[in-house]
Amino acid sequence: LHRVDRRQRQMCIRDRGYAGGARFEVVPGSSLGLEVSGTSEESKTGEVLLDYYADVSDKLSLNIGVARGFDDGADVTARTAIIWQF
């Protein structure tokens, strides 16, 4: 049992990642963002994401983005999201 717990801890340490980003308002209600995220050196995956945010209403926002992978990450991916705030 002790061996399993130690192994699980080691797996969690290897899977740590990083993320950071910034969003800049272009005009009221819309903004552009740049994000960078990835995993530890063990997996060597990461991506840079350029995305557009549009506030449709006070509670509804739309997000459309394009990501480019680096290291062992995906080449190019498209991202979309609908954000509904309660």
Side-chain angles (χ1 to χ4, degrees):
L1 184 60
H2 176 70
R3 182 183 263 169
V4 172
D5 290 341
R6 189 175 75 201
R7 189 178 209 181
Q8 288 175 340
R9 257 194 325 267
Q10 289 173 345
M11 288 174 62
C12 290
I13 291 170
R14 282 192 306 238
D15 292 339
R16 290 186 181 174
Y18 60 90
R23 189 184 305 181
F24 305 96
E25 188 173 60
V26 180
V27 295
S30 68
S31 57
L32 291 174
L34 182 65
E35 301 173 25
V36 178
S37 64
T39 58
S40 66
E41 292 181 23
E42 184 82 20
S43 302
K44 292 189 178 180
T45 60
E47 66 181 2
V48 175
L49 175 67
L50 176 65
D51 45 5
Y52 170 76
Y53 298 87
D55 295 331
V56 178
S57 69
D58 289 341
K59 297 199 178 260
L60 180 66
S61 298
L62 302 176
N63 174 273
I64 300 169
V66 176
R68 173 77 169 118
F70 55 89
D71 290 332
D72 292 335
D75 289 334
V76 177
T77 56
R79 304 281 179 98
T80 58
I82 298 172
I83 300 104
W84 179 266
Q85 298 177 10
F86 293 100

